[in-house]
Amino acid sequence: MLNPHAPLPRHVAIIMDGNGRWAKRRGLPRIEGHRKGADSVRDVVRASRELGLRALTLYAFSSQNWDRPMEEVRALMELLRDYLVEERTEILENEIRLETIGDRTRLPEFVRGPLEDLIRDSAENDKMTLCLALSYGGRESLAAAARRLAEAVVAGELLPSDIDVRNFGQELSTRMLPELDLVIRTSGEQRLSNFLLWEAAYAELYFTDTLWPDFSRATLYQAIESFQGRERRFGLTSEQVRLRRL
Ligand code: IPE
Ligand code: IPE
Ligand code: MG
């Protein structure tokens, strides 16, 4: 049961893993796992919106996933396009803003078209931000930020000694999202796989053995329940944290 008196995470990010294993266990091709996984995405977006989360980031495709077999990459891109086309109305009706992080230029045109339309048409929505991590890598994103700051230094707009946590964070594509509170990873793996490396600095981590296609509203609630039961200290002592809450 969620605790109505404890705060909800503002921003939840999910590493949606285990589609391939879900299919393999059933003797099905991997793509069937991805197809079933798309249904979990629909459920979780709906549940997050109803709960009142401010932002939900979903790791849908990593920079490294481009190296998977060509047919699997193609199938994932087609599923992504189908998702964008089929969910467009629901996203707009629920006043959800769609955003992405990652290298959008690498996506095929048949994905970029519907994706960019929906980003544009949902830009004024403010009930929740749904951020899709597509062709995303945390290290790639940090390197890009460092590159932009270096360019600003060379252009004489910034001194190296001016670079700090605040302006570095402002160079990241996640700057438009609230602070990351909770990272969930499915399928039993306990690693970040190049996801939100900077942003997860003080996020709570939640690992579940549930494979992504079996993930449901109930699993999301379990993760949030676990989050609500934790004390986030941000380097302070427990006593300091409790005093601040009074
Ligand atoms: C997650 O499921 C989906 C993507 C990474 C695109 P996987 O395809 O990684 O499933 P497993 O890990 O092989 O079971
Ligand atoms: C992470 O899953 C990427 C996504 C969920 C999109 P992977 O299946 O690619 O991660 P590894 O290879 O197990 O670390
Ligand atoms: Mg995997």
Side-chain angles (χ1 to χ4, degrees), residues 16-21 30 34 60 65 68 72 76:
M16 310 184 288
D17 197 16
N19 295 351
R21 277 162 283 169
R30 291 177 59 83
H34 296 314
N65 289 149
R68 289 195 178 192
E72 181 167 342
L76 281 165

Side-chain angles (χ1 to χ4, degrees), residues 3-68:
N3 178 351
H5 305 295
L8 284 171
R10 288 156 296 182
H11 178 189
V12 175
I14 310 183
I15 304 173
M16 310 184 288
D17 197 16
N19 295 351
R21 277 162 283 169
W22 183 92
K24 198 168 172 204
R25 281 182 199 172
R26 287 164 179 75
L28 298 169
R30 291 177 59 83
I31 174 67
E32 289 308 318
H34 296 314
R35 189 163 292 132
K36 188 74 175 22
D39 292 339
S40 304
V41 171
R42 291 173 230 267
D43 287 352
V44 164
V45 171
R46 201 165 294 154
S48 302
R49 167 71 175 83
E50 286 170 17
L51 259 176
L53 303 186
R54 300 306 310 151
L56 175 70
T57 298
L58 298 176
Y59 203 8
F61 196 84
S62 73
S63 306
Q64 286 65 37
N65 289 149
W66 289 114
D67 294 331
R68 289 195 178 192

